[in-house]
Amino acid sequence: MKRVSVDIGGTFTDCVVAWGGQRVESKAPTTHHDLTEGFMEALTAGAEKIDLSVETVLSDVDSVRYGTTLGTNALIERTGERVGLITTKGHEDTIRIGRGRQYGDGLSIEDQADIPGADRPDPIVPSDYRYGIRERIDYKGDVLLEADREEIREVVNSLVDDGVRAIAVVLLNSTVNPVHELLVEEIVNQEYPSNVLGSTPVVLSHRVTGKNGEYMRSNATVINAYLHRIMREGLQDMQSVLRDHGYEKPLQLVHNTSGMAQLGKTYAIQTMHAGPVAGLGAAQQLADELDDENLITTDMGGTSFDIGAVTEGEVSLYEYEPIIDRWLINIPMVYMKTIGAGGGSILGYNSAEDVITVGPESAGSDPGPACYNRGGRRATVTDVDVVLGYLNPDYFWGGELELEERLARRAVRRDIAEPMDVSVEEAAAAARQVVDTKMAQTMFNEISLQGYDPRNFSILSYGGAGPTHACGYAEELDVEKVIVPPFSPVLSAAGAGNLDQMHMYEQSVYLELFDGEGQTYFDDYEQFNDVVATLQDKGRRDLLDEGYSADRIQHTVECDLKYGVQLQTTTARSPVETIDDREDLLRLLKAFRDSYGDNFGDEAHMPSSDINLITIRVQSYVEQPRMEYTSTGDAAALTDGAGTPDTGRSRSCYFGGEFVETPVHRFTEMGTGAVDGPAIVEHPETTIVVNDGWTFDRTPAGVSYLRRQ
């Protein structure tokens, strides 16, 4: 196996190179002005660790997998293209009207508590660039009013005159019959071929999502159009740089569905938050390798703190109506909770409420925390950890970046200590407690709302800053065990290296599988089977286009069902790909009832109610070879000794309300013996803080455990 996987975060760009029996990790600061620079710096550092040139690696590697933040950054910064929207006459203001909940979509919990004071998000497409055309297709796909070619032509000309650089097309019921959307695309290409208008994208809603829901479908289509040019140009630049260094295969992009696909088969919106999702995929594999099937996953990087869950060995929680920024969409993606509590999160003091504030703003990598000495002046979580002695200024990032404790102390003094009228040390300790408590409270909310007790889980801590704070938030949750996996500083990149090639398609339907009043069952099996076959064919064609043989392609079928007129739908994996008889139908209904009972309790069942099928979803995938994370055969830079030597290193660190002289161990020099806290374990890319009352030990494969005594 020869594989490169790269995940770009807000502060660092992470890289994992799997090269035969070797696996190495590397990092580089994220270069927001040009992401290719940080990408190549991280890759170069990884290649050097296996004594190869970048050109040698790229010319011989099986694939390069890339978790990009191009689209995420462009949406946050509002730097996308001017978009025009063509929709059905009378529905031009759908994206402005939205839904009642739109006022709270994407807001923090604190802001959601004041919905009357909230504003709707400004639509990406202003009213001047939204045009309606006269056409109508009904819910069955029958054309009631033919679209007029001349009207479409006039609308397209008006949009071009307005200076739009991307066109989103969202017509009613195009998910069941896209004929009019295809007509719009045809006319645009006739009027303005690429040699006249350039590569102005025309994004059709039925290609983006097969689900109904005009507001969500419009948002998904508009966001794709808005980001299309930035994504295309940025990724083309990336491919060009890789090609210049010898890589001739297609670039693989990580998707937020926990799969990956080639650049030409990827929509911009599928890359949103894809990096943390890849980390969650790695966590699922680790749950199996470590025989620990219930994990709370915590990824604390430089910018954010991402929370997920592996329950009974599975990552089964998808959001089918997620919120991107402040817009509700209907593209399925793996659910993760993100808060602004990373190493670079900016700290402050709110005198009106007498509280220390954390994030969501981050110092990023440029200028970074004050202690980076790159021009940053505001106090961050990393600065606090330096003041408290947890981070070694001479061994941060393996000694690649020297930290300035003087600048960290100055920032904490100015932003927190002086407003609170306390010492710098007291301010730093209070700020760290606030950070750990915020993370623990968010973790508790996420796990308990899924019906689980966090105390019955282990915590999987990763990301560059995660192990530094793991004992703190574990204590708040009353969790007994924390696992720090191999590749913990770059686990999302490592997870990208093990993703399957996958495409997901879904289609809105309305099929009554059980009539509660008449006590009769659905029997038009071909109607169900035809939809499944169509979705499977789309996925199969994608995978064939990507060079995979038909005999390697597999499919899974999922269904969204609900009782009667309930608004809440429940997703169930279908035990059959096709329904051929009553027995197959009953197996599907049982899968729904089992899933419903797991979510809402067996007492919530409605046995005499109708059961309606709302959505059919197909995942088409090709399994890829996987590297084992906990294999001792190719673990990097680990000692096999049974004891942990006394290195003689120590420094003053803050434990138990005071500074104490604390033993310091280098991870790469340690054996498998236990270390009692308080202690510090320094890894080249992270620091593990062992609180008083905790014990640290690790396996020969590099899996570290923190256990409460």
Side-chain angles (χ1 to χ4, degrees), residues 255-273:
H255 284 194
N256 49 29
T257 55
S258 199
M260 66 175 184
Q262 292 179 7
L263 171 59
K265 299 290 184 180
T266 298
Y267 280 110
I269 209 164
Q270 293 172 312
T271 68
M272 297 291 184
H273 312 310

PDB file of all heavy atoms in Angstrom, residues 255-273:
ATOM      1  N   HIS A 255     -15.223  13.093   1.286  1.00  0.00           N
ATOM      2  CA  HIS A 255     -16.601  13.557   1.364  1.00  0.00           C
ATOM      3  C   HIS A 255     -17.102  13.515   2.808  1.00  0.00           C
ATOM      4  O   HIS A 255     -16.622  12.720   3.620  1.00  0.00           O
ATOM      5  CB  HIS A 255     -17.521  12.678   0.509  1.00  0.00           C
ATOM      6  CG  HIS A 255     -17.404  12.939  -0.955  1.00  0.00           C
ATOM      7  ND1 HIS A 255     -18.311  12.475  -1.885  1.00  0.00           N
ATOM      8  CD2 HIS A 255     -16.481  13.627  -1.669  1.00  0.00           C
ATOM      9  CE1 HIS A 255     -17.955  12.858  -3.088  1.00  0.00           C
ATOM     10  NE2 HIS A 255     -16.843  13.555  -2.992  1.00  0.00           N
ATOM     11  N   ASN A 256     -18.075  14.353   3.102  1.00  0.00           N
ATOM     12  CA  ASN A 256     -18.653  14.367   4.449  1.00  0.00           C
ATOM     13  C   ASN A 256     -19.649  13.234   4.673  1.00  0.00           C
ATOM     14  O   ASN A 256     -20.321  13.198   5.711  1.00  0.00           O
ATOM     15  CB  ASN A 256     -19.313  15.718   4.751  1.00  0.00           C
ATOM     16  CG  ASN A 256     -20.246  16.175   3.647  1.00  0.00           C
ATOM     17  OD1 ASN A 256     -20.831  15.363   2.937  1.00  0.00           O
ATOM     18  ND2 ASN A 256     -20.398  17.481   3.501  1.00  0.00           N
ATOM     19  N   THR A 257     -19.741  12.311   3.734  1.00  0.00           N
ATOM     20  CA  THR A 257     -20.541  11.100   3.924  1.00  0.00           C
ATOM     21  C   THR A 257     -19.680   9.941   4.413  1.00  0.00           C
ATOM     22  O   THR A 257     -20.156   8.808   4.487  1.00  0.00           O
ATOM     23  CB  THR A 257     -21.211  10.689   2.605  1.00  0.00           C
ATOM     24  OG1 THR A 257     -20.203  10.558   1.587  1.00  0.00           O
ATOM     25  CG2 THR A 257     -22.247  11.715   2.182  1.00  0.00           C
ATOM     26  N   SER A 258     -18.399  10.218   4.716  1.00  0.00           N
ATOM     27  CA  SER A 258     -17.436   9.208   5.159  1.00  0.00           C
ATOM     28  C   SER A 258     -16.997   8.317   4.004  1.00  0.00           C
ATOM     29  O   SER A 258     -16.689   7.146   4.190  1.00  0.00           O
ATOM     30  CB  SER A 258     -17.982   8.347   6.309  1.00  0.00           C
ATOM     31  OG  SER A 258     -16.933   7.704   6.994  1.00  0.00           O
ATOM     32  N   GLY A 259     -16.967   8.902   2.824  1.00  0.00           N
ATOM     33  CA  GLY A 259     -16.424   8.233   1.651  1.00  0.00           C
ATOM     34  C   GLY A 259     -15.548   9.207   0.891  1.00  0.00           C
ATOM     35  O   GLY A 259     -15.235  10.303   1.368  1.00  0.00           O
ATOM     36  N   MET A 260     -15.147   8.828  -0.300  1.00  0.00           N
ATOM     37  CA  MET A 260     -14.343   9.721  -1.133  1.00  0.00           C
ATOM     38  C   MET A 260     -14.685   9.478  -2.592  1.00  0.00           C
ATOM     39  O   MET A 260     -15.265   8.444  -2.955  1.00  0.00           O
ATOM     40  CB  MET A 260     -12.850   9.514  -0.887  1.00  0.00           C
ATOM     41  CG  MET A 260     -12.337   8.150  -1.335  1.00  0.00           C
ATOM     42  SD  MET A 260     -10.554   7.988  -1.174  1.00  0.00           S
ATOM     43  CE  MET A 260     -10.319   6.358  -1.902  1.00  0.00           C
ATOM     44  N   ALA A 261     -14.330  10.444  -3.427  1.00  0.00           N
ATOM     45  CA  ALA A 261     -14.580  10.330  -4.860  1.00  0.00           C
ATOM     46  C   ALA A 261     -13.603  11.225  -5.593  1.00  0.00           C
ATOM     47  O   ALA A 261     -12.963  12.100  -5.001  1.00  0.00           O
ATOM     48  CB  ALA A 261     -16.021  10.711  -5.200  1.00  0.00           C
ATOM     49  N   GLN A 262     -13.502  11.008  -6.890  1.00  0.00           N
ATOM     50  CA  GLN A 262     -12.614  11.837  -7.688  1.00  0.00           C
ATOM     51  C   GLN A 262     -13.164  13.249  -7.816  1.00  0.00           C
ATOM     52  O   GLN A 262     -14.363  13.496  -7.626  1.00  0.00           O
ATOM     53  CB  GLN A 262     -12.422  11.212  -9.071  1.00  0.00           C
ATOM     54  CG  GLN A 262     -11.638   9.909  -9.052  1.00  0.00           C
ATOM     55  CD  GLN A 262     -11.482   9.285 -10.427  1.00  0.00           C
ATOM     56  OE1 GLN A 262     -11.845   9.887 -11.441  1.00  0.00           O
ATOM     57  NE2 GLN A 262     -10.957   8.063 -10.475  1.00  0.00           N
ATOM     58  N   LEU A 263     -12.270  14.172  -8.143  1.00  0.00           N
ATOM     59  CA  LEU A 263     -12.629  15.585  -8.245  1.00  0.00           C
ATOM     60  C   LEU A 263     -13.819  15.806  -9.162  1.00  0.00           C
ATOM     61  O   LEU A 263     -14.746  16.557  -8.839  1.00  0.00           O
ATOM     62  CB  LEU A 263     -11.411  16.375  -8.747  1.00  0.00           C
ATOM     63  CG  LEU A 263     -11.629  17.843  -9.121  1.00  0.00           C
ATOM     64  CD1 LEU A 263     -12.159  18.617  -7.935  1.00  0.00           C
ATOM     65  CD2 LEU A 263     -10.315  18.446  -9.625  1.00  0.00           C
ATOM     66  N   GLY A 264     -13.839  15.160 -10.319  1.00  0.00           N
ATOM     67  CA  GLY A 264     -14.911  15.380 -11.276  1.00  0.00           C
ATOM     68  C   GLY A 264     -16.252  14.834 -10.843  1.00  0.00           C
ATOM     69  O   GLY A 264     -17.267  15.132 -11.471  1.00  0.00           O
ATOM     70  N   LYS A 265     -16.276  14.036  -9.767  1.00  0.00           N
ATOM     71  CA  LYS A 265     -17.517  13.442  -9.279  1.00  0.00           C
ATOM     72  C   LYS A 265     -17.936  14.039  -7.936  1.00  0.00           C
ATOM     73  O   LYS A 265     -18.709  13.440  -7.197  1.00  0.00           O
ATOM     74  CB  LYS A 265     -17.343  11.923  -9.115  1.00  0.00           C
ATOM     75  CG  LYS A 265     -17.002  11.189 -10.404  1.00  0.00           C
ATOM     76  CD  LYS A 265     -18.173  11.164 -11.360  1.00  0.00           C
ATOM     77  CE  LYS A 265     -17.849  10.351 -12.601  1.00  0.00           C
ATOM     78  NZ  LYS A 265     -18.986  10.307 -13.551  1.00  0.00           N
ATOM     79  N   THR A 266     -17.428  15.223  -7.616  1.00  0.00           N
ATOM     80  CA  THR A 266     -17.643  15.809  -6.300  1.00  0.00           C
ATOM     81  C   THR A 266     -18.296  17.181  -6.428  1.00  0.00           C
ATOM     82  O   THR A 266     -17.836  18.025  -7.211  1.00  0.00           O
ATOM     83  CB  THR A 266     -16.308  15.946  -5.550  1.00  0.00           C
ATOM     84  OG1 THR A 266     -15.742  14.654  -5.365  1.00  0.00           O
ATOM     85  CG2 THR A 266     -16.505  16.596  -4.197  1.00  0.00           C
ATOM     86  N   TYR A 267     -19.347  17.398  -5.655  1.00  0.00           N
ATOM     87  CA  TYR A 267     -19.927  18.726  -5.505  1.00  0.00           C
ATOM     88  C   TYR A 267     -19.256  19.433  -4.336  1.00  0.00           C
ATOM     89  O   TYR A 267     -18.844  18.806  -3.352  1.00  0.00           O
ATOM     90  CB  TYR A 267     -21.429  18.656  -5.263  1.00  0.00           C
ATOM     91  CG  TYR A 267     -22.247  18.454  -6.522  1.00  0.00           C
ATOM     92  CD1 TYR A 267     -22.904  17.256  -6.770  1.00  0.00           C
ATOM     93  CD2 TYR A 267     -22.363  19.478  -7.454  1.00  0.00           C
ATOM     94  CE1 TYR A 267     -23.654  17.074  -7.922  1.00  0.00           C
ATOM     95  CE2 TYR A 267     -23.116  19.309  -8.611  1.00  0.00           C
ATOM     96  CZ  TYR A 267     -23.757  18.110  -8.839  1.00  0.00           C
ATOM     97  OH  TYR A 267     -24.489  17.938  -9.981  1.00  0.00           O
ATOM     98  N   ALA A 268     -19.176  20.752  -4.431  1.00  0.00           N
ATOM     99  CA  ALA A 268     -18.503  21.532  -3.386  1.00  0.00           C
ATOM    100  C   ALA A 268     -19.081  21.251  -2.011  1.00  0.00           C
ATOM    101  O   ALA A 268     -18.354  21.144  -1.019  1.00  0.00           O
ATOM    102  CB  ALA A 268     -18.618  23.030  -3.713  1.00  0.00           C
ATOM    103  N   ILE A 269     -20.386  21.116  -1.937  1.00  0.00           N
ATOM    104  CA  ILE A 269     -21.038  20.972  -0.647  1.00  0.00           C
ATOM    105  C   ILE A 269     -20.707  19.646   0.017  1.00  0.00           C
ATOM    106  O   ILE A 269     -20.823  19.498   1.235  1.00  0.00           O
ATOM    107  CB  ILE A 269     -22.566  21.146  -0.831  1.00  0.00           C
ATOM    108  CG1 ILE A 269     -23.180  21.706   0.435  1.00  0.00           C
ATOM    109  CG2 ILE A 269     -23.242  19.876  -1.275  1.00  0.00           C
ATOM    110  CD1 ILE A 269     -24.564  22.270   0.244  1.00  0.00           C
ATOM    111  N   GLN A 270     -20.260  18.666  -0.774  1.00  0.00           N
ATOM    112  CA  GLN A 270     -19.889  17.374  -0.202  1.00  0.00           C
ATOM    113  C   GLN A 270     -18.561  17.419   0.537  1.00  0.00           C
ATOM    114  O   GLN A 270     -18.220  16.483   1.254  1.00  0.00           O
ATOM    115  CB  GLN A 270     -19.820  16.317  -1.312  1.00  0.00           C
ATOM    116  CG  GLN A 270     -21.159  15.997  -1.937  1.00  0.00           C
ATOM    117  CD  GLN A 270     -21.031  15.103  -3.151  1.00  0.00           C
ATOM    118  OE1 GLN A 270     -20.212  15.351  -4.042  1.00  0.00           O
ATOM    119  NE2 GLN A 270     -21.816  14.040  -3.193  1.00  0.00           N
ATOM    120  N   THR A 271     -17.806  18.500   0.370  1.00  0.00           N
ATOM    121  CA  THR A 271     -16.521  18.624   1.050  1.00  0.00           C
ATOM    122  C   THR A 271     -16.620  19.377   2.370  1.00  0.00           C
ATOM    123  O   THR A 271     -15.628  19.458   3.103  1.00  0.00           O
ATOM    124  CB  THR A 271     -15.495  19.338   0.154  1.00  0.00           C
ATOM    125  OG1 THR A 271     -15.874  20.715  -0.017  1.00  0.00           O
ATOM    126  CG2 THR A 271     -15.410  18.668  -1.209  1.00  0.00           C
ATOM    127  N   MET A 272     -17.780  19.931   2.689  1.00  0.00           N
ATOM    128  CA  MET A 272     -17.941  20.689   3.926  1.00  0.00           C
ATOM    129  C   MET A 272     -17.742  19.787   5.143  1.00  0.00           C
ATOM    130  O   MET A 272     -18.394  18.748   5.272  1.00  0.00           O
ATOM    131  CB  MET A 272     -19.330  21.324   3.978  1.00  0.00           C
ATOM    132  CG  MET A 272     -19.592  22.332   2.889  1.00  0.00           C
ATOM    133  SD  MET A 272     -18.590  23.801   3.160  1.00  0.00           S
ATOM    134  CE  MET A 272     -19.180  24.845   1.843  1.00  0.00           C
ATOM    135  N   HIS A 273     -16.838  20.181   6.033  1.00  0.00           N
ATOM    136  CA  HIS A 273     -16.574  19.448   7.285  1.00  0.00           C
ATOM    137  C   HIS A 273     -16.135  18.006   7.022  1.00  0.00           C
ATOM    138  O   HIS A 273     -16.328  17.129   7.872  1.00  0.00           O
ATOM    139  CB  HIS A 273     -17.808  19.456   8.197  1.00  0.00           C
ATOM    140  CG  HIS A 273     -18.431  20.805   8.372  1.00  0.00           C
ATOM    141  ND1 HIS A 273     -17.698  21.911   8.719  1.00  0.00           N
ATOM    142  CD2 HIS A 273     -19.717  21.233   8.244  1.00  0.00           C
ATOM    143  CE1 HIS A 273     -18.502  22.972   8.794  1.00  0.00           C
ATOM    144  NE2 HIS A 273     -19.717  22.593   8.511  1.00  0.00           N
TER     145      HIS A 273
END
